Amino acid sequence: MSAQVQSKGRVYLLPLIAVSLSIASCTGDHRNIKHISIVGAGASFPAPLYERWLSDYNQKNPNVEINYQAIGSSAGVQQLIEGTVDFAASDVGITNEQAAKIKRGVIALPITAGSIVLAYNLTQVAQQSPQVNVPTIRLPRQVYVDIFLGKITNWNHPRIAAANPRVNLPNLPIQVVHRTDGSGTTSVLTQHLSAISPEWKRKLGAGKAVAWQVGIGGKGNEGVTALIQQIPGAIGYVEYVYAKQNKLPVAALENKSGNYITPTPESVAKTLEAVKLPNNNLIAFITDPTDAQSYPIVSYSWLLTYHQYPNRVKAKVLKKFVDWVVIEGQKSSLELGYIPLSKKVVVQVQSAVKKIAE
């Protein structure tokens, strides 16, 4: 399945990531293996980074074919449960209930991290060339909750204007854009909204899919990004890299300390510092960070492997690949808009990946 990303009115296709990788660097008993195929699927959140990793790894390792489909966290986890993939990617890890369905066992490896941003389009005419000098809009906590609840419906609403006294806000209807597929990105956002708004928690709650009361839907981060670009007055939630690649402005969000924070490597790293990953499964979230300089909506993204593989070569290849990703692969993170793993988390992942049985 392709991921479609638009930029400056042009459409870029992020194809099924299919790259030939080699295991020449593996131990001597595998040097005679000429070809093996590995299949993965899941979250669109990390797909641009996966694409870079596979391309870079390919240059050194040309004989193992790894296919990755960005089909959403829910679909990826389901395929792992059904045994139709060799690994999955999920922005919410995996639940104990889901893990219990996997007879071969599952190991969750935090592999990258990033922020969920509220991107918007304040141009008056659809398909206009890129938004020039669009100001950064500040959104108070209860304002962006009420936008997603459908209570605030225009960009020049008094509550938005009060937070942006120096901005000439347009008299433009707000068009909410959300995900249609089961999404880890949706889960991260709605966990945060549930944490800061009792009304949101009561009416919609948190999950990979919720019963949106307003807005239109797009599939994947790429689908939401495309709709935001096309619709004047649109606002939607996407992983930061999609807004960055398509030059969409993103809101400064009020955090728990009352500060308006934009998603920067520093503000996202501040949030991640407060996330303590338990050694038993390496899955944890922080739904409303307290640090004064923390950006409020941040998550790891997990690579999910089986604990046991009937094909021991696949097990070895995946272990080698993960080892490369948490060291060499992290060097591409900041350039693309992701946050590198801390040294502590790298050590935790290196320890966990050893549990994959060969």
Side-chain angles (χ1 to χ4, degrees):
M1 177 175 292
S2 336
Q4 191 181 73
V5 177
Q6 293 197 349
S7 179
K8 297 184 179 180
R10 295 173 300 210
V11 176
Y12 293 90
L13 293 179
L14 296 179
L16 166 75
I17 302 170
V19 186
S20 292
L21 306 177
S22 153
I23 55 171
S25 60
C26 292
T27 55
D29 58 331
H30 290 156
R31 287 176 183 165
N32 294 327
I33 295 174
K34 295 182 179 180
H35 184 272
I36 188 169
S37 179
I38 295 176
V39 177
S44 62
F45 179 118
L49 186 56
Y50 276 46
E51 182 182 28
R52 170 67 67 85
W53 284 341
L54 295 180
S55 176
D56 290 348
Y57 197 64
N58 171 52
Q59 294 182 27
K60 296 181 179 179
N61 304 283
N63 293 338
V64 175
E65 183 182 348
I66 296 185
N67 297 325
Y68 180 77
Q69 295 186 6
I71 58 175
S73 296
S74 285
V77 170
Q78 185 58 38
Q79 289 200 11
L80 195 74
I81 291 171
E82 294 172 358
T84 56
V85 292
D86 298 307
F87 70 94
S90 169
D91 303 331
V92 288
I94 189 167
T95 67
N96 291 334
E97 181 181 4
Q98 290 170 330
K101 297 177 182 178
I102 302 175
K103 295 180 180 180
R104 292 158 56 187
V106 63
I107 299 173
L109 306 168
I111 212 75
T112 190
S115 53
I116 309 302
V117 301
L118 302 189
Y120 51 88
N121 179 352
L122 293 186
T123 56
Q124 296 281 353
V125 180
Q127 304 296 348
Q128 212 170 347
S129 74
Q131 304 174 62
V132 179
N133 297 324
V134 174
T136 298
I137 302 299
R138 305 201 310 178
L139 293 178
R141 287 153 73 83
Q142 292 309 312
V143 165
Y144 60 83
V145 170
D146 284 348
I147 287 173
F148 286 121
L149 283 173
K151 292 184 171 184
I152 294 178
T153 59
N154 217 67
W155 278 105
N156 64 355
H157 190 282
R159 289 170 62 194
I160 301 178
N164 298 274
R166 298 180 181 179
V167 178
N168 184 21
L169 294 164
N171 182 15
L172 190 64
I174 293 174
Q175 175 66 70
V176 170
V177 183
H178 57 76
R179 292 282 288 272
T180 56
D181 52 321
S183 159
T185 305
T186 299
S187 181
V188 173
L189 173 76
T190 56
Q191 285 183 64
H192 171 70
L193 296 179
S194 294
I196 69 173
S197 169
E199 182 181 8
W200 180 278
K201 184 176 182 179
R202 183 178 70 255
K203 289 183 176 179
L204 282 87
K208 294 177 186 175
V210 298
W212 293 95
Q213 298 182 341
V214 295
I216 61 173
K219 187 172 183 179
N221 275 282
E222 63 281 356
V224 172
T225 301
L227 286 171
I228 295 170
Q229 284 197 301
Q230 294 164 10
I231 301 172
I235 185 170
Y237 59 96
V238 293
E239 201 278 324
Y240 171 74
V241 68
Y242 288 85
K244 177 183 177 181
Q245 287 180 344
N246 293 279
K247 297 180 172 56
L248 285 172
V250 301
L253 302 183
E254 184 187 13
N255 67 12
K256 194 169 188 176
S257 297
N259 296 322
Y260 289 93
I261 306 295
T262 55
T264 65
E266 294 76 19
S267 65
V268 175
K270 276 288 185 183
T271 304
L272 291 172
E273 286 174 8
V275 181
K276 306 301 180 185
L277 297 172
N279 286 322
N280 63 328
N281 67 4
L282 301 186
I283 298 174
F285 306 91
I286 185 164
T287 57
D288 192 18
T290 58
D291 186 274
Q293 298 307 313
S294 285
Y295 181 75
I297 315 177
V298 173
S299 179
Y300 285 102
S301 185
W302 286 263
L303 190 153
L304 307 175
T305 75
Y306 294 108
H307 180 259
Q308 296 178 327
Y309 286 85
N311 185 329
R312 64 188 299 267
V313 178
K314 284 187 178 182
K316 184 175 288 292
V317 169
L318 279 169
K319 291 169 77 170
K320 288 285 186 180
F321 178 63
V322 171
D323 283 339
W324 178 88
V325 161
V326 296
I327 301 298
E328 293 300 319
Q330 297 300 306
K331 297 175 182 178
S332 302
S333 298
L334 286 175
E335 175 190 348
L336 293 179
Y338 298 88
I339 304 302
L341 301 177
S342 68
K343 291 182 180 179
K344 179 179 180 181
V345 174
V346 167
V347 171
Q348 287 181 290
V349 173
Q350 288 175 322
S351 176
V353 78
K354 292 177 181 177
K355 298 175 183 177
I356 296 177
E358 296 180 18

